[in-house]
Amino acid sequence: MVMSHTDYAIHERAFKALDSFLIEIPSWGFANTGTRFGKFVQAAAASTIEEKFADAAEVNRLTGVTPRLALHVLWDLPNGLKDVSAVRELERRYGIRSGSINPNLFQDQEYKFGSLCNPDAAIRERALAHVLDCVEIGKALGSRDVSLWMADGSNYPGTQSMRKRIAWLEQALREMHDRLAPNQRLLVEYKPFEPAFYHTDIADWGMANHFARHAGPQAFVLVDTGHHYQGQNIEQIVAWLLHSGMLGGFHFNDRRYADDDLTLGSIDPYQIFRIFHEIHCAQYEGLKLDIAYMIDQSHNLKGKVEAMVQTVVTAQELYLKAVLVDRERLAQLQQSCSLVAAEELYRGAFWTDVRPLAREWREARGLPADPLAALAESGYVERIAREREKRNTAVSSYA
Ligand code: LRH
Ligand code: MN
């Protein structure tokens, strides 16, 4: 089939985009997770760091775009720096590199009233020691990003000084920043509420932006798509962070209500398309970007490896749809305020079925055309379920 010049240009643009699109997967996405109302155990779930690397390797074998695994320190390196050599061994054995290092400042009992924002200076010190350990773990593993989310906040008005907590956190993040190696970055993740339900110390992009700027030039903002109030224009926040050079990365997931951590594109695929459009426009207009694309989901009901493969494929497809927008033509229509024509061009790309193009790219790169079908044919999930089911038994109730 002879391709027209336009088709050829689109084909080249699509292949170039898919070649550059890598997405990091979370170790915790393979583990048995639940809600406060319970956890439905899956026989195939990963409960050791080795099993998480094995599952990540399977996802990368099938998709070719997930060479890095995000690690959550207390869950994956419970002994901190002492676990680094074991993780390096797993990296070699499974061909998967360690990705972002996620400190855990929300699990320990002493963090009841906060960690880096706790009124008790000794508790703040211990929290700071943990994040500084995470910086050292990142250096030892050659990971670039230390990705910080804090549950810190309060549940009742008048019970905490929000301004004192701002000052304590500014100080701690500055000390953390100053410990970073030249190639490391600190990503500051915001979240409006949960588990705190009156105030959260890093509640929105403005606060995260302030703390990142105050910490230093290697600190940036991380946008978790599930961490926004209903009706918030997330792609506008992304446009602002692109404009100010403060966009460090994403935690992709989907939601109907709050931080539901559902699989990407399952509720509002158009949301992710609108975000990718802002990024492609910025690149098209010459902005030098360094964005960490990461998945942050908890697969409470779907099969965990299946859900991860489905999510990666969906992310590729939405990234590709946004690449197809004719930016030159759109800029003209925006300039002439040709609203309907601009919207039809923009939305037209979203309506485009890019799955044949994505399949073609996979075949050209020696990858399974349909990763989900290849996973089913591989028998991988059935095999790990047999190997792991004895360890994956039912859990105790919430209360
Ligand atoms: C908090 C969050 C954070 C992770 C956790 C697993 O809601 O998004 O990024 O540490 O989920
Ligand atoms: Mn997150």
Side-chain angles (χ1 to χ4, degrees):
M1 181 190 79
V2 182
M3 265 200 259
S4 71
H5 171 68
T6 317
D7 291 350
Y8 180 76
I10 288 173
H11 192 274
E12 285 315 289
R13 208 159 77 218
F15 270 44
K16 193 159 157 288
L18 289 176
D19 282 340
S20 70
F21 184 69
L22 297 179
I23 190 160
E24 187 174 292
I25 50 182
S27 65
W28 54 95
F30 296 117
N32 274 318
T33 52
T35 71
R36 59 183 169 168
F37 300 106
K39 189 189 281 190
F40 299 101
V41 170
Q42 296 183 21
S47 42
T48 67
I49 183 65
E50 171 153 16
E51 289 170 351
K52 293 168 183 174
F53 268 90
D55 293 353
E58 178 65 6
V59 174
N60 195 41
R61 180 184 73 80
L62 295 164
T63 66
V65 298
T66 60
R68 285 184 175 278
L69 181 69
L71 302 176
H72 225 292
V73 171
L74 288 190
W75 302 337
D76 300 323
L77 299 99
N79 310 304
L81 273 168
K82 298 193 199 66
D83 291 333
V84 164
S85 54
V87 170
R88 298 242 75 160
E89 172 46 34
L90 293 174
E91 290 181 331
R92 269 188 298 280
R93 197 177 315 154
Y94 291 99
I96 294 286
R97 292 301 312 281
S98 299
S100 61
I101 303 300
N102 294 258
N104 186 317
L105 293 174
F106 51 86
Q107 213 163 281
D108 293 11
Q109 288 301 307
E110 67 174 350
Y111 295 150
K112 182 176 180 181
F113 302 118
S115 62
L116 297 173
C117 299
N118 194 299
D120 181 326
I123 294 175
R124 295 200 300 273
E125 269 321 300
R126 285 196 287 278
L128 181 60
H130 172 66
V131 292
L132 296 180
D133 276 353
C134 293
V135 171
E136 297 313 314
I137 289 170
K139 288 175 187 167
L141 287 171
S143 295
R144 184 179 61 154
D145 295 335
V146 179
S147 185
L148 180 69
W149 172 72
M150 297 161 46
D152 288 37
S154 68
N155 277 359
Y156 303 98
T159 59
Q160 285 292 303
S161 163
M162 290 184 274
R163 280 186 297 104
K164 283 184 184 159
R165 295 170 73 100
I166 294 169
W168 291 327
L169 187 51
E170 283 177 338
Q171 181 53 36
L173 294 185
R174 171 77 60 77
E175 286 185 50
M176 190 180 172
H177 179 280
D178 297 349
R179 196 66 73 76
L180 295 173
N183 71 327
Q184 282 186 300
R185 304 188 310 169
L186 166 59
L187 302 183
V188 181
E189 181 177 1
Y190 58 88
K191 183 175 180 178
F193 63 90
E194 189 208 34
F197 293 107
Y198 167 63
H199 100 281
T200 293
D201 291 291
I202 312 180
D204 66 20
W205 76 276
M207 299 176 198
N209 196 43
H210 166 83
F211 285 120
R213 280 189 182 286
H214 185 276
Q218 292 167 247
F220 302 89
V221 176
L222 186 144
V223 177
D224 184 313
T225 49
H227 293 181
H228 300 89
Y229 297 113
Q230 288 293 331
Q232 253 188 302
N233 187 327
I234 303 173
E235 61 271 24
Q236 184 183 17
I237 292 170
V238 171
W240 267 88
L241 292 169
L242 287 165
H243 177 76
S244 55
M246 291 302 290
L247 180 62
F250 291 92
H251 275 180
F252 285 128
N253 47 63
D254 213 331
R255 50 30 154 333
R256 180 74 195 80
Y257 301 103
D259 189 22
D260 309 350
D261 280 342
L262 301 175
T263 44
L264 179 86
S266 57
I267 305 291
D268 184 2
Y270 196 37
Q271 170 63 79
I272 305 299
F273 170 86
R274 298 196 303 269
I275 289 172
F276 281 144
H277 171 74
E278 292 304 324
I279 291 165
H280 291 310
C281 277
Q283 264 156 345
Y284 177 74
E285 290 149 21
L287 264 70
K288 288 281 158 282
L289 304 178
D290 188 351
I291 300 170
Y293 296 116
M294 301 177 276
I295 294 168
D296 178 8
Q297 292 169 182
S298 48
H299 305 127
N300 301 338
L301 303 179
K302 285 181 177 179
K304 304 185 186 283
V305 177
E306 207 183 357
M308 202 70 88
V309 172
Q310 181 195 33
T311 297
V312 172
V313 168
T314 304
Q316 285 182 304
E317 292 169 358
L318 292 168
Y319 188 80
L320 191 47
K321 283 173 185 281
V323 160
L324 298 183
V325 173
D326 178 342
R327 264 154 261 295
E328 197 171 341
R329 181 77 186 112
L330 184 65
Q332 290 159 357
L333 294 170
Q334 289 171 339
Q335 189 55 39
S336 61
C337 298
S338 313
L339 307 186
V340 174
E343 185 183 35
E344 286 308 307
L345 183 152
Y346 175 90
R347 218 169 37 176
F350 179 70
W351 296 145
T352 305
D353 182 357
V354 296
R355 291 173 291 185
L357 207 43
R359 274 196 287 273
E360 207 186 315
W361 174 81
R362 294 189 188 101
E363 284 169 339
R365 300 294 179 267
L367 296 161
D370 181 340
L372 270 175
L375 175 65
E377 281 147 28
S378 73
Y380 179 79
V381 175
E382 292 72 17
R383 177 165 61 76
I384 59 175
R386 284 192 300 278
E387 292 166 5
R388 301 172 185 179
E389 67 189 331
K390 280 189 247 3
R391 198 161 342 98
N392 285 318
T393 52
V395 291
S396 60
S397 73
Y398 162 62

PDB file of all heavy atoms in Angstrom, residues 28 72 75 102-104 106 147-150 189-191 193-195 222 224 227 251 253 259 261 296-297, ligand 1:
ATOM      1  N   TRP A  28       4.020  -1.599  44.078  1.00  0.00           N
ATOM      2  CA  TRP A  28       2.834  -1.868  44.882  1.00  0.00           C
ATOM      3  C   TRP A  28       1.611  -2.215  44.028  1.00  0.00           C
ATOM      4  O   TRP A  28       0.621  -2.734  44.540  1.00  0.00           O
ATOM      5  CB  TRP A  28       2.533  -0.692  45.830  1.00  0.00           C
ATOM      6  CG  TRP A  28       2.401   0.654  45.187  1.00  0.00           C
ATOM      7  CD1 TRP A  28       1.254   1.257  44.798  1.00  0.00           C
ATOM      8  CD2 TRP A  28       3.450   1.583  44.890  1.00  0.00           C
ATOM      9  NE1 TRP A  28       1.503   2.499  44.258  1.00  0.00           N
ATOM     10  CE2 TRP A  28       2.847   2.715  44.298  1.00  0.00           C
ATOM     11  CE3 TRP A  28       4.831   1.575  45.049  1.00  0.00           C
ATOM     12  CZ2 TRP A  28       3.593   3.820  43.866  1.00  0.00           C
ATOM     13  CZ3 TRP A  28       5.583   2.660  44.626  1.00  0.00           C
ATOM     14  CH2 TRP A  28       4.960   3.780  44.048  1.00  0.00           C
ATOM     15  N   HIS A  72       8.826   1.474  46.840  1.00  0.00           N
ATOM     16  CA  HIS A  72       8.331   2.158  48.040  1.00  0.00           C
ATOM     17  C   HIS A  72       9.162   1.619  49.189  1.00  0.00           C
ATOM     18  O   HIS A  72       9.099   0.430  49.503  1.00  0.00           O
ATOM     19  CB  HIS A  72       6.843   1.862  48.230  1.00  0.00           C
ATOM     20  CG  HIS A  72       6.043   3.073  48.574  1.00  0.00           C
ATOM     21  ND1 HIS A  72       6.192   3.721  49.772  1.00  0.00           N
ATOM     22  CD2 HIS A  72       5.140   3.771  47.854  1.00  0.00           C
ATOM     23  CE1 HIS A  72       5.374   4.770  49.797  1.00  0.00           C
ATOM     24  NE2 HIS A  72       4.723   4.829  48.648  1.00  0.00           N
ATOM     25  N   TRP A  75       8.088  -0.821  52.054  1.00  0.00           N
ATOM     26  CA  TRP A  75       7.495  -2.041  51.508  1.00  0.00           C
ATOM     27  C   TRP A  75       8.534  -2.872  50.756  1.00  0.00           C
ATOM     28  O   TRP A  75       8.533  -4.092  50.836  1.00  0.00           O
ATOM     29  CB  TRP A  75       6.330  -1.692  50.567  1.00  0.00           C
ATOM     30  CG  TRP A  75       5.237  -0.892  51.211  1.00  0.00           C
ATOM     31  CD1 TRP A  75       4.957  -0.832  52.552  1.00  0.00           C
ATOM     32  CD2 TRP A  75       4.303  -0.018  50.580  1.00  0.00           C
ATOM     33  NE1 TRP A  75       3.880   0.013  52.769  1.00  0.00           N
ATOM     34  CE2 TRP A  75       3.460   0.522  51.587  1.00  0.00           C
ATOM     35  CE3 TRP A  75       4.067   0.346  49.243  1.00  0.00           C
ATOM     36  CZ2 TRP A  75       2.420   1.415  51.301  1.00  0.00           C
ATOM     37  CZ3 TRP A  75       3.029   1.225  48.970  1.00  0.00           C
ATOM     38  CH2 TRP A  75       2.223   1.750  49.989  1.00  0.00           C
ATOM     39  N   ASN A 102      10.340   6.010  46.658  1.00  0.00           N
ATOM     40  CA  ASN A 102       9.217   6.620  47.389  1.00  0.00           C
ATOM     41  C   ASN A 102       9.383   6.435  48.891  1.00  0.00           C
ATOM     42  O   ASN A 102       9.234   5.314  49.393  1.00  0.00           O
ATOM     43  CB  ASN A 102       7.896   5.998  46.923  1.00  0.00           C
ATOM     44  CG  ASN A 102       7.561   6.325  45.475  1.00  0.00           C
ATOM     45  OD1 ASN A 102       6.732   7.185  45.200  1.00  0.00           O
ATOM     46  ND2 ASN A 102       8.240   5.651  44.542  1.00  0.00           N
ATOM     47  N   PRO A 103       9.716   7.537  49.628  1.00  0.00           N
ATOM     48  CA  PRO A 103       9.763   7.421  51.080  1.00  0.00           C
ATOM     49  C   PRO A 103       8.373   7.077  51.627  1.00  0.00           C
ATOM     50  O   PRO A 103       7.376   7.305  50.956  1.00  0.00           O
ATOM     51  CB  PRO A 103      10.184   8.821  51.536  1.00  0.00           C
ATOM     52  CG  PRO A 103      10.790   9.457  50.339  1.00  0.00           C
ATOM     53  CD  PRO A 103      10.034   8.880  49.157  1.00  0.00           C
ATOM     54  N   ASN A 104       8.313   6.514  52.848  1.00  0.00           N
ATOM     55  CA  ASN A 104       7.034   6.203  53.486  1.00  0.00           C
ATOM     56  C   ASN A 104       6.967   6.936  54.822  1.00  0.00           C
ATOM     57  O   ASN A 104       7.570   6.508  55.795  1.00  0.00           O
ATOM     58  CB  ASN A 104       6.914   4.693  53.727  1.00  0.00           C
ATOM     59  CG  ASN A 104       5.529   4.322  54.244  1.00  0.00           C
ATOM     60  OD1 ASN A 104       4.991   5.017  55.106  1.00  0.00           O
ATOM     61  ND2 ASN A 104       4.973   3.257  53.717  1.00  0.00           N
ATOM     62  N   PHE A 106       3.965   7.670  56.242  1.00  0.00           N
ATOM     63  CA  PHE A 106       2.552   7.615  56.637  1.00  0.00           C
ATOM     64  C   PHE A 106       2.184   6.331  57.364  1.00  0.00           C
ATOM     65  O   PHE A 106       1.076   6.202  57.848  1.00  0.00           O
ATOM     66  CB  PHE A 106       1.643   7.779  55.401  1.00  0.00           C
ATOM     67  CG  PHE A 106       1.956   6.877  54.235  1.00  0.00           C
ATOM     68  CD1 PHE A 106       1.430   5.604  54.150  1.00  0.00           C
ATOM     69  CD2 PHE A 106       2.795   7.321  53.211  1.00  0.00           C
ATOM     70  CE1 PHE A 106       1.718   4.780  53.066  1.00  0.00           C
ATOM     71  CE2 PHE A 106       3.079   6.504  52.116  1.00  0.00           C
ATOM     72  CZ  PHE A 106       2.528   5.231  52.050  1.00  0.00           C
ATOM     73  N   SER A 147      10.626  10.503  45.083  1.00  0.00           N
ATOM     74  CA  SER A 147       9.258  10.971  44.875  1.00  0.00           C
ATOM     75  C   SER A 147       8.534  11.009  46.214  1.00  0.00           C
ATOM     76  O   SER A 147       8.221   9.977  46.783  1.00  0.00           O
ATOM     77  CB  SER A 147       8.568  10.013  43.907  1.00  0.00           C
ATOM     78  OG  SER A 147       7.294  10.484  43.583  1.00  0.00           O
ATOM     79  N   LEU A 148       8.300  12.241  46.724  1.00  0.00           N
ATOM     80  CA  LEU A 148       7.798  12.412  48.090  1.00  0.00           C
ATOM     81  C   LEU A 148       6.315  12.738  48.143  1.00  0.00           C
ATOM     82  O   LEU A 148       5.881  13.759  47.607  1.00  0.00           O
ATOM     83  CB  LEU A 148       8.572  13.536  48.801  1.00  0.00           C
ATOM     84  CG  LEU A 148       8.134  13.815  50.251  1.00  0.00           C
ATOM     85  CD1 LEU A 148       8.531  12.656  51.158  1.00  0.00           C
ATOM     86  CD2 LEU A 148       8.741  15.127  50.746  1.00  0.00           C
ATOM     87  N   TRP A 149       5.546  11.851  48.755  1.00  0.00           N
ATOM     88  CA  TRP A 149       4.159  12.167  49.129  1.00  0.00           C
ATOM     89  C   TRP A 149       4.047  12.033  50.646  1.00  0.00           C
ATOM     90  O   TRP A 149       4.585  11.101  51.228  1.00  0.00           O
ATOM     91  CB  TRP A 149       3.143  11.225  48.490  1.00  0.00           C
ATOM     92  CG  TRP A 149       1.782  11.471  49.047  1.00  0.00           C
ATOM     93  CD1 TRP A 149       0.987  12.554  48.793  1.00  0.00           C
ATOM     94  CD2 TRP A 149       1.057  10.677  49.997  1.00  0.00           C
ATOM     95  NE1 TRP A 149      -0.170  12.481  49.523  1.00  0.00           N
ATOM     96  CE2 TRP A 149      -0.159  11.319  50.259  1.00  0.00           C
ATOM     97  CE3 TRP A 149       1.336   9.463  50.631  1.00  0.00           C
ATOM     98  CZ2 TRP A 149      -1.113  10.804  51.143  1.00  0.00           C
ATOM     99  CZ3 TRP A 149       0.386   8.937  51.508  1.00  0.00           C
ATOM    100  CH2 TRP A 149      -0.822   9.619  51.763  1.00  0.00           C
ATOM    101  N   MET A 150       3.359  13.000  51.267  1.00  0.00           N
ATOM    102  CA  MET A 150       3.169  12.957  52.716  1.00  0.00           C
ATOM    103  C   MET A 150       1.683  12.977  53.047  1.00  0.00           C
ATOM    104  O   MET A 150       0.926  13.727  52.437  1.00  0.00           O
ATOM    105  CB  MET A 150       3.811  14.182  53.364  1.00  0.00           C
ATOM    106  CG  MET A 150       5.303  14.267  53.196  1.00  0.00           C
ATOM    107  SD  MET A 150       5.885  15.934  53.468  1.00  0.00           S
ATOM    108  CE  MET A 150       5.005  16.361  54.958  1.00  0.00           C
ATOM    109  N   GLU A 189       4.792  15.653  45.639  1.00  0.00           N
ATOM    110  CA  GLU A 189       3.447  15.249  45.225  1.00  0.00           C
ATOM    111  C   GLU A 189       2.403  15.878  46.140  1.00  0.00           C
ATOM    112  O   GLU A 189       2.535  15.821  47.363  1.00  0.00           O
ATOM    113  CB  GLU A 189       3.317  13.719  45.277  1.00  0.00           C
ATOM    114  CG  GLU A 189       1.962  13.173  44.845  1.00  0.00           C
ATOM    115  CD  GLU A 189       1.922  11.639  44.853  1.00  0.00           C
ATOM    116  OE1 GLU A 189       2.969  11.014  45.229  1.00  0.00           O
ATOM    117  OE2 GLU A 189       0.884  11.070  44.506  1.00  0.00           O
ATOM    118  N   TYR A 190       1.380  16.477  45.569  1.00  0.00           N
ATOM    119  CA  TYR A 190       0.309  17.094  46.378  1.00  0.00           C
ATOM    120  C   TYR A 190      -0.941  16.210  46.365  1.00  0.00           C
ATOM    121  O   TYR A 190      -1.098  15.340  45.499  1.00  0.00           O
ATOM    122  CB  TYR A 190      -0.035  18.488  45.844  1.00  0.00           C
ATOM    123  CG  TYR A 190      -0.475  18.538  44.395  1.00  0.00           C
ATOM    124  CD1 TYR A 190      -1.812  18.374  44.042  1.00  0.00           C
ATOM    125  CD2 TYR A 190       0.463  18.729  43.372  1.00  0.00           C
ATOM    126  CE1 TYR A 190      -2.217  18.419  42.713  1.00  0.00           C
ATOM    127  CE2 TYR A 190       0.068  18.774  42.036  1.00  0.00           C
ATOM    128  CZ  TYR A 190      -1.265  18.623  41.711  1.00  0.00           C
ATOM    129  OH  TYR A 190      -1.668  18.656  40.388  1.00  0.00           O
ATOM    130  N   LYS A 191      -1.800  16.432  47.363  1.00  0.00           N
ATOM    131  CA  LYS A 191      -3.069  15.694  47.451  1.00  0.00           C
ATOM    132  C   LYS A 191      -4.015  16.485  48.329  1.00  0.00           C
ATOM    133  O   LYS A 191      -3.629  16.862  49.434  1.00  0.00           O
ATOM    134  CB  LYS A 191      -2.832  14.286  48.036  1.00  0.00           C
ATOM    135  CG  LYS A 191      -4.064  13.403  48.114  1.00  0.00           C
ATOM    136  CD  LYS A 191      -3.717  12.009  48.590  1.00  0.00           C
ATOM    137  CE  LYS A 191      -4.948  11.127  48.663  1.00  0.00           C
ATOM    138  NZ  LYS A 191      -4.630   9.728  49.078  1.00  0.00           N
ATOM    139  N   PHE A 193      -6.839  15.867  50.051  1.00  0.00           N
ATOM    140  CA  PHE A 193      -7.301  15.284  51.325  1.00  0.00           C
ATOM    141  C   PHE A 193      -7.083  13.776  51.294  1.00  0.00           C
ATOM    142  O   PHE A 193      -6.697  13.241  50.266  1.00  0.00           O
ATOM    143  CB  PHE A 193      -8.787  15.600  51.555  1.00  0.00           C
ATOM    144  CG  PHE A 193      -9.689  14.984  50.512  1.00  0.00           C
ATOM    145  CD1 PHE A 193     -10.233  13.710  50.662  1.00  0.00           C
ATOM    146  CD2 PHE A 193      -9.970  15.674  49.341  1.00  0.00           C
ATOM    147  CE1 PHE A 193     -11.024  13.145  49.669  1.00  0.00           C
ATOM    148  CE2 PHE A 193     -10.775  15.116  48.351  1.00  0.00           C
ATOM    149  CZ  PHE A 193     -11.305  13.849  48.523  1.00  0.00           C
ATOM    150  N   GLU A 194      -7.356  13.091  52.493  1.00  0.00           N
ATOM    151  CA  GLU A 194      -7.171  11.656  52.704  1.00  0.00           C
ATOM    152  C   GLU A 194      -5.693  11.276  52.783  1.00  0.00           C
ATOM    153  O   GLU A 194      -4.983  11.460  51.770  1.00  0.00           O
ATOM    154  CB  GLU A 194      -7.827  10.811  51.593  1.00  0.00           C
ATOM    155  CG  GLU A 194      -7.829   9.308  51.938  1.00  0.00           C
ATOM    156  CD  GLU A 194      -7.823   8.424  50.705  1.00  0.00           C
ATOM    157  OE1 GLU A 194      -7.218   8.805  49.698  1.00  0.00           O
ATOM    158  OE2 GLU A 194      -8.439   7.338  50.764  1.00  0.00           O
ATOM    159  N   PRO A 195      -5.276  10.828  53.956  1.00  0.00           N
ATOM    160  CA  PRO A 195      -6.087  10.461  55.119  1.00  0.00           C
ATOM    161  C   PRO A 195      -6.485  11.625  56.021  1.00  0.00           C
ATOM    162  O   PRO A 195      -7.337  11.436  56.887  1.00  0.00           O
ATOM    163  CB  PRO A 195      -5.182   9.501  55.895  1.00  0.00           C
ATOM    164  CG  PRO A 195      -3.795  10.010  55.594  1.00  0.00           C
ATOM    165  CD  PRO A 195      -3.851  10.445  54.146  1.00  0.00           C
ATOM    166  N   LEU A 222       5.080  16.859  41.261  1.00  0.00           N
ATOM    167  CA  LEU A 222       4.527  15.625  40.705  1.00  0.00           C
ATOM    168  C   LEU A 222       3.007  15.706  40.728  1.00  0.00           C
ATOM    169  O   LEU A 222       2.412  15.992  41.764  1.00  0.00           O
ATOM    170  CB  LEU A 222       4.994  14.404  41.507  1.00  0.00           C
ATOM    171  CG  LEU A 222       4.584  13.052  40.931  1.00  0.00           C
ATOM    172  CD1 LEU A 222       5.667  12.009  41.129  1.00  0.00           C
ATOM    173  CD2 LEU A 222       3.295  12.542  41.544  1.00  0.00           C
ATOM    174  N   ASP A 224      -0.325  13.749  40.533  1.00  0.00           N
ATOM    175  CA  ASP A 224      -1.055  12.479  40.577  1.00  0.00           C
ATOM    176  C   ASP A 224      -2.460  12.806  40.097  1.00  0.00           C
ATOM    177  O   ASP A 224      -3.162  13.611  40.712  1.00  0.00           O
ATOM    178  CB  ASP A 224      -1.068  11.898  41.996  1.00  0.00           C
ATOM    179  CG  ASP A 224      -1.728  10.528  42.085  1.00  0.00           C
ATOM    180  OD1 ASP A 224      -2.831  10.377  41.505  1.00  0.00           O
ATOM    181  OD2 ASP A 224      -1.159   9.627  42.715  1.00  0.00           O
ATOM    182  N   HIS A 227      -5.420  13.183  42.447  1.00  0.00           N
ATOM    183  CA  HIS A 227      -5.307  14.102  43.593  1.00  0.00           C
ATOM    184  C   HIS A 227      -5.860  15.486  43.278  1.00  0.00           C
ATOM    185  O   HIS A 227      -5.173  16.509  43.459  1.00  0.00           O
ATOM    186  CB  HIS A 227      -3.834  14.199  44.029  1.00  0.00           C
ATOM    187  CG  HIS A 227      -3.317  12.914  44.607  1.00  0.00           C
ATOM    188  ND1 HIS A 227      -2.038  12.780  45.084  1.00  0.00           N
ATOM    189  CD2 HIS A 227      -3.888  11.702  44.764  1.00  0.00           C
ATOM    190  CE1 HIS A 227      -1.859  11.564  45.555  1.00  0.00           C
ATOM    191  NE2 HIS A 227      -2.968  10.878  45.359  1.00  0.00           N
ATOM    192  N   HIS A 251       1.823  10.697  38.286  1.00  0.00           N
ATOM    193  CA  HIS A 251       1.292   9.415  38.758  1.00  0.00           C
ATOM    194  C   HIS A 251      -0.042   9.255  38.056  1.00  0.00           C
ATOM    195  O   HIS A 251      -0.995   9.984  38.356  1.00  0.00           O
ATOM    196  CB  HIS A 251       1.091   9.411  40.281  1.00  0.00           C
ATOM    197  CG  HIS A 251       2.323   9.064  41.048  1.00  0.00           C
ATOM    198  ND1 HIS A 251       2.330   9.002  42.422  1.00  0.00           N
ATOM    199  CD2 HIS A 251       3.579   8.764  40.656  1.00  0.00           C
ATOM    200  CE1 HIS A 251       3.541   8.659  42.836  1.00  0.00           C
ATOM    201  NE2 HIS A 251       4.314   8.513  41.792  1.00  0.00           N
ATOM    202  N   ASN A 253      -3.499   7.433  36.932  1.00  0.00           N
ATOM    203  CA  ASN A 253      -4.540   6.495  37.343  1.00  0.00           C
ATOM    204  C   ASN A 253      -5.859   7.139  36.920  1.00  0.00           C
ATOM    205  O   ASN A 253      -5.853   8.155  36.228  1.00  0.00           O
ATOM    206  CB  ASN A 253      -4.502   6.264  38.871  1.00  0.00           C
ATOM    207  CG  ASN A 253      -4.403   7.572  39.627  1.00  0.00           C
ATOM    208  OD1 ASN A 253      -5.304   8.412  39.551  1.00  0.00           O
ATOM    209  ND2 ASN A 253      -3.289   7.787  40.320  1.00  0.00           N
ATOM    210  N   ASP A 259      -9.614   9.855  45.243  1.00  0.00           N
ATOM    211  CA  ASP A 259      -8.360   9.183  44.865  1.00  0.00           C
ATOM    212  C   ASP A 259      -8.619   7.693  44.715  1.00  0.00           C
ATOM    213  O   ASP A 259      -8.099   6.866  45.460  1.00  0.00           O
ATOM    214  CB  ASP A 259      -7.289   9.449  45.932  1.00  0.00           C
ATOM    215  CG  ASP A 259      -5.915   8.945  45.475  1.00  0.00           C
ATOM    216  OD1 ASP A 259      -5.729   8.799  44.244  1.00  0.00           O
ATOM    217  OD2 ASP A 259      -5.066   8.680  46.347  1.00  0.00           O
ATOM    218  N   ASP A 261      -7.724   5.544  42.479  1.00  0.00           N
ATOM    219  CA  ASP A 261      -6.608   4.722  41.977  1.00  0.00           C
ATOM    220  C   ASP A 261      -7.047   3.615  41.020  1.00  0.00           C
ATOM    221  O   ASP A 261      -6.488   2.517  41.024  1.00  0.00           O
ATOM    222  CB  ASP A 261      -5.831   4.119  43.166  1.00  0.00           C
ATOM    223  CG  ASP A 261      -4.870   5.145  43.775  1.00  0.00           C
ATOM    224  OD1 ASP A 261      -4.578   6.138  43.077  1.00  0.00           O
ATOM    225  OD2 ASP A 261      -4.441   4.951  44.922  1.00  0.00           O
ATOM    226  N   ASP A 296       0.451   4.960  39.154  1.00  0.00           N
ATOM    227  CA  ASP A 296       0.243   4.780  40.600  1.00  0.00           C
ATOM    228  C   ASP A 296      -1.197   4.315  40.790  1.00  0.00           C
ATOM    229  O   ASP A 296      -2.127   5.131  40.776  1.00  0.00           O
ATOM    230  CB  ASP A 296       0.500   6.074  41.372  1.00  0.00           C
ATOM    231  CG  ASP A 296       0.246   5.897  42.874  1.00  0.00           C
ATOM    232  OD1 ASP A 296       0.028   4.740  43.295  1.00  0.00           O
ATOM    233  OD2 ASP A 296       0.249   6.904  43.599  1.00  0.00           O
ATOM    234  N   GLN A 297      -1.378   3.024  40.863  1.00  0.00           N
ATOM    235  CA  GLN A 297      -2.721   2.439  40.944  1.00  0.00           C
ATOM    236  C   GLN A 297      -2.714   1.334  41.995  1.00  0.00           C
ATOM    237  O   GLN A 297      -1.659   0.785  42.326  1.00  0.00           O
ATOM    238  CB  GLN A 297      -3.134   1.837  39.579  1.00  0.00           C
ATOM    239  CG  GLN A 297      -3.338   2.869  38.512  1.00  0.00           C
ATOM    240  CD  GLN A 297      -3.491   2.288  37.103  1.00  0.00           C
ATOM    241  OE1 GLN A 297      -3.626   3.048  36.133  1.00  0.00           O
ATOM    242  NE2 GLN A 297      -3.425   0.967  36.948  1.00  0.00           N
TER     243      GLN A 297
HETATM  244  C1  LRH B   1      -0.910   8.690  47.872  1.00  0.00           C
HETATM  245  C2  LRH B   1      -0.159   8.084  46.702  1.00  0.00           C
HETATM  246  C3  LRH B   1       1.340   8.240  46.787  1.00  0.00           C
HETATM  247  C4  LRH B   1       1.860   6.856  47.081  1.00  0.00           C
HETATM  248  C5  LRH B   1       0.684   6.096  47.466  1.00  0.00           C
HETATM  249  C6  LRH B   1       0.805   4.644  47.173  1.00  0.00           C
HETATM  250  O1  LRH B   1      -2.289   8.637  47.644  1.00  0.00           O
HETATM  251  O2  LRH B   1      -0.676   8.583  45.516  1.00  0.00           O
HETATM  252  O3  LRH B   1       1.886   8.566  45.563  1.00  0.00           O
HETATM  253  O4  LRH B   1       2.879   6.856  47.960  1.00  0.00           O
HETATM  254  O5  LRH B   1      -0.366   6.677  46.747  1.00  0.00           O
END
